[in-house]
Amino acid sequence: MHIRPEIAVLPAYKQGRQAAADAFKLSSNENPFPPLPGVVEAVQAQTAFNRYPDATALAVRAVLANRFGLTVDEVHVAPGSVAVLHELAKATSGPGDEIVYAWRSFEAYPGVVTVAGATSVQVPNRADGGHDLDAMAAAVTDRTRMVIVCTPNNPTGPIVTGAEFEAFMAAVPSTVLVVLDEAYAEFVTDVTAVRGAALLERYPNLVVLRTFSKAYGLAGLRVGYALGPAYVLDAVRACAIPLSVTAQGQAAALASLERESELLERVAELAARRDRVVRALRAQGWAVPDAQGNFVWLPTGEGTAVAAEAFERAGIIVRAFAPEGIRISIGEHEAVETLLETARALVGDLQAAE
């Protein structure tokens, strides 16, 4: 059987490692809080498993359209924002085309590009872990079809500011699609951060990605969405796998939006916990980048594997990105003390090894 050579060597996406019952899973940026009771009830009410769901997720799109001042055709719902990325890449790019993104960033990006048949153009992050938007704009050529901007950047944590993004958009040709990946937007407390939805009317080549997986705690139900020009999202819908967002996922998304104030209280608690962890890690001597998602980044370099093993022995499962660093999700408050104790023991050993 013939397999495309670039697919044959493409590693499959690896999710964060699962944790034993006595360990904390801080490897997947999941929300540690269980769903709100009303959300569970809404899902349990969807028992017609013998029937297909609404293929267009129209009810969810209508609520989101009203929230963001858009039409329903300017909203697309998919099984996670990464599914929208795949659809955007296939709709815009193919062999000979290029997709530009920062690196290191969301590890699914290279696979998204390769599956579409396009070529990745990876632009190194700044020393502080943030996007080098000037270099990304300079990397755009007449072969570029799409640019992905991730804010806050997963896994390093820094945001793109509104001023930085506007300067970037001014430098990118209007014929190039810019995808602003805001999967962690609800956790952002920096008032200077870009907010993509407010810029859609101004930039006709902009699509904004959001998700219910992180802040809303629906990772297991897979619901994400895109906001953008109707003609672009029509092309995305033409590339989408039909009927891929379940009725249970749609019901959970609607119920979560109805109870958003309660959910955002939990998000605020996680953001405050994140900030406390960052302050403590920096006090220990770690060079932690600004963290605006629900995770922190430790630049462990060549000691990444050793550090990940030390955390695992302590009952903390982290996400290792050797040989650069580890990402630690902000999870249960009971995990914080062990996390910090392990990090304190590691920082001196890693510095001594340098």
Side-chain angles (χ1 to χ4, degrees):
M1 298 291 291
H2 175 74
I3 303 293
R4 287 165 50 193
E6 66 273 24
I7 299 299
V9 299
L10 179 68
Y13 175 80
K14 294 181 179 180
Q15 70 178 123
R17 286 188 55 198
Q18 301 299 311
D22 58 347
F24 294 101
K25 184 189 177 190
L26 306 184
S27 57
S28 293
N29 292 347
E30 295 160 329
N31 190 323
F33 292 105
L36 293 170
V39 177
V40 173
E41 292 167 2
V43 173
Q44 291 173 334
Q46 298 296 319
T47 59
F49 304 141
N50 57 315
R51 302 298 184 188
Y52 287 115
D54 174 5
T56 69
L58 182 59
V60 180
R61 290 165 59 207
V63 171
L64 293 171
N66 182 65
R67 169 163 303 195
F68 292 107
L70 302 171
T71 68
V72 291
D73 290 335
E74 293 170 313
V75 181
H76 173 60
V77 176
S81 57
V82 69
V84 186
L85 271 172
H86 273 281
E87 295 157 5
L88 284 164
K90 288 184 287 187
T92 62
S93 309
D97 297 330
E98 296 176 345
I99 296 178
V100 175
Y101 53 91
W103 197 251
R104 175 170 292 275
S105 194
F106 181 31
E107 64 182 302
Y109 292 161
V112 165
V113 177
T114 300
V115 169
T119 300
S120 283
V121 177
Q122 297 181 345
V123 178
N125 286 320
R126 302 183 309 237
D128 65 358
H131 282 15
D132 186 341
L133 289 181
D134 290 340
M136 290 178 69
V140 173
T141 70
D142 59 2
R143 295 175 59 189
T144 306
R145 298 294 175 263
M146 190 166 89
V147 181
I148 307 171
V149 176
C150 185
T151 177
N153 187 46
N154 173 25
T156 57
I159 57 151
V160 171
T161 70
E164 289 171 338
F165 188 72
E166 291 184 33
F168 174 75
M169 292 299 289
V172 173
S174 60
T175 53
V176 173
L177 179 67
V178 176
V179 179
L180 189 63
D181 188 347
E182 292 187 317
Y184 301 90
E186 291 86 359
F187 297 100
V188 173
T189 55
D190 187 332
V191 296
T192 69
V194 63
R195 296 291 183 177
L199 301 176
L200 288 169
E201 186 174 357
R202 185 170 169 188
Y203 298 113
N205 59 327
L206 175 64
V207 167
V208 177
L209 302 186
R210 302 286 289 271
T211 184
F212 287 94
S213 295
K214 308 303 181 184
Y216 289 86
L218 302 183
L221 289 172
R222 310 303 301 131
V223 185
Y225 61 96
L227 311 173
Y231 80 95
V232 174
L233 297 187
D234 283 343
V236 165
R237 285 184 271 270
C239 295
I241 297 174
L243 302 157
S244 56
V245 182
T246 67
Q248 293 73 29
Q250 293 179 43
L254 289 169
S256 295
L257 289 168
E258 291 174 0
R259 294 158 179 81
E260 189 174 55
S261 60
E262 299 169 75
L263 286 168
L264 293 182
E265 289 176 6
R266 295 175 169 188
V267 170
E269 182 177 340
L270 289 171
R273 188 176 303 161
R274 171 201 69 203
D275 293 345
R276 290 195 298 271
V277 169
V278 169
R279 288 193 296 269
L281 289 170
R282 287 175 175 169
Q284 293 175 1
W286 288 100
V288 180
D290 289 337
Q292 286 289 301
N294 64 334
F295 52 88
V296 296
W297 173 257
L298 296 185
T300 47
E302 296 297 333
T304 294
V306 171
E309 290 171 2
F311 277 107
E312 183 171 355
R313 286 195 300 271
I316 301 287
I317 307 302
V318 301
R319 190 66 170 268
F321 297 90
E324 296 157 84
I326 59 176
R327 187 193 68 198
I328 307 176
S329 306
I330 301 301
E332 297 85 349
H333 69 87
E334 294 88 352
V336 171
E337 183 177 353
T338 302
L339 187 166
L340 294 176
E341 287 178 355
T342 308
R344 183 182 296 107
L346 278 169
V347 67
D349 293 341
L350 291 175
Q351 290 174 344
E354 291 178 354

